[in-house]
Amino acid sequence: YKPNSAFYEMWGEEGINALQRTIAEIHMIAPDVPVILDAKRADIGNTNAGYVEAAFDFLQADAITVHPYLGAEALQPFLERKDKGIIVLCRTSNPGADEFQDLYVNAHGEKLFHRVARHVANAWNKNGNCALVVGATYPEELREVRKIVGDMPILIPGIGAQGGDVEKTVHAGKDSLGQGMIINSSRGIIFASKSEDFADAARHETEKLRDLINKYR
């Protein structure tokens, strides 16, 4: 499960309490399923220490999304949590992702998102708790990242409402074992129905996506 903190925070104290209850309910109903807090946090080190306490100790999330812009030194409060997943933005799913992420960083054709993938895989993942975010809307870039990071897990948003193709995503994103992907669909599942059957509709869309992923693995 990947609750997005923004849609809780917008409601103030009531929203934060709802987020805490949401995560607690998931842990109770599905204790073996990780909860990823989609918060995209990162700041200087002492501020990150506060984010870490909020995400992992107060909210009890199992993993969190962070951005790499401030470097490993600032992200140490996250990276040092060996028991938690640290999922670093690499090549995002939004249309304007290329504005910075595709910039060349050397004369050998290495782009910024390549550098991020390499650094996370080779330097930041000392505790084996790192993963990357790469959007399904860019399957070729996903394929490039997979080649760089080997069997490191990749969180892949962009399926469903954003238009990512499941077949292309699985072929580009799977690791050497046909696994290693956390493929995410949010609006395509949550808003599968606006009627009273919303829960059944959401379950149906989830099962359909699961079966489609397994078909192409």
Side-chain angles (χ1 to χ4, degrees):
Y1 294 93
K2 188 172 73 69
N4 189 312
S5 64
F7 298 113
Y8 293 86
E9 292 171 12
M10 63 187 285
W11 298 105
E13 181 181 0
E14 184 179 349
I16 297 298
N17 290 337
L19 178 55
Q20 186 184 39
R21 292 196 306 273
T22 297
I23 294 174
E25 289 283 341
I26 293 170
H27 286 325
M28 183 175 67
I29 296 169
D32 295 329
V33 180
V35 176
I36 300 168
L37 181 63
D38 191 4
K40 301 178 180 69
R41 301 293 192 223
D43 207 313
I44 61 172
N46 66 325
T47 307
N48 282 336
Y51 284 141
V52 164
E53 286 193 28
F56 297 146
D57 301 325
F58 175 69
L59 293 172
Q60 293 291 306
D62 300 300
I64 189 172
T65 55
V66 301
H67 67 76
Y69 197 67
L70 281 83
E73 171 269 329
L75 286 172
Q76 282 308 305
F78 289 104
L79 298 173
E80 289 171 357
R81 288 298 294 260
K82 299 179 182 181
D83 58 328
K84 302 294 184 179
I86 312 303
I87 308 177
V88 184
L89 299 180
C90 180
R91 186 56 166 82
T92 55
S93 59
N94 58 301
D98 61 342
E99 184 174 354
F100 293 116
Q101 295 167 30
D102 280 6
L103 291 176
Y104 289 98
V105 296
N106 59 35
H108 304 293
E110 185 181 36
K111 296 181 179 180
L112 180 57
F113 78 89
H114 296 145
R115 179 70 63 87
V116 170
R118 204 176 313 280
H119 268 255
V120 175
N122 298 334
W124 295 13
N125 197 29
K126 295 176 182 178
N127 292 319
N129 61 342
C130 290
L132 292 168
V133 177
V134 183
T137 45
Y138 298 100
E140 190 51 47
E141 287 81 351
L142 175 58
R143 189 183 310 277
E144 293 170 8
V145 170
R146 175 54 76 198
K147 289 180 180 178
I148 292 170
V149 304
D151 287 350
M152 175 181 284
I154 301 176
L155 171 61
I156 308 175
I159 292 293
Q162 294 188 60
D165 181 272
V166 175
E167 181 177 7
K168 291 180 180 178
T169 296
V170 173
H171 288 165
K174 63 183 179 180
D175 64 14
S176 63
L177 301 174
Q179 303 177 127
M181 303 168 290
I182 307 169
I183 297 178
N184 175 72
S185 174
S186 296
R187 284 170 286 174
I189 290 172
I190 295 170
F191 301 126
S193 173
K194 295 182 180 179
S195 301
E196 292 183 358
D197 68 337
F198 72 92
D200 290 334
R203 182 181 182 88
H204 173 73
E205 288 300 318
T206 303
E207 291 174 340
K208 186 168 73 172
L209 176 57
R210 176 202 61 196
D211 293 343
L212 199 56
I213 291 169
N214 287 333
K215 175 183 176 181
Y216 295 119
R217 283 175 57 204

